[in-house]
Amino acid sequence: EGLFRLSPPAAAVTAAVQKFNSGVRVDFAAMPAGVDVAASVLKLFLRQLPDSLLTGRCLPAFIAAIDLP
């Protein structure tokens, strides 16, 4: 099974996000399903960004990077 295929408990994701937002270090290794919680927190962070990371303005550079050795 791959990363992002299993949904962790919503309460665990919410608790991790609250810790991050308050500046507390989150120890995913100590959590049950910690990898899945970490992946969900990352996905949530990326979804909440005000602008896309892969903008259309940068598309030519991304396409050129594909051809790099």
Side-chain angles (χ1 to χ4, degrees), residues 7 9 17 20-21 23-25 27 29 33 37 40 43 55 65:
S7 294
V17 168
F20 270 120
N21 289 341
V24 176
R25 185 179 181 277
D27 185 6
V37 174
S40 290
K43 288 191 309 185
T55 63

Side-chain angles (χ1 to χ4, degrees), residues 24-36:
V24 176
R25 185 179 181 277
V26 180
D27 185 6
F28 293 109
M31 294 180 182
V35 171
D36 299 316

Side-chain angles (χ1 to χ4, degrees), residues 41-68:
V41 169
L42 175 61
K43 288 191 309 185
L44 182 61
F45 170 76
L46 293 173
R47 266 189 298 233
Q48 292 177 341
L49 287 174
D51 295 316
S52 174
L53 288 178
L54 307 176
T55 63
R57 184 176 56 95
C58 297
L59 183 61
F62 291 123
I63 291 172
I66 293 170
D67 295 329
L68 293 175

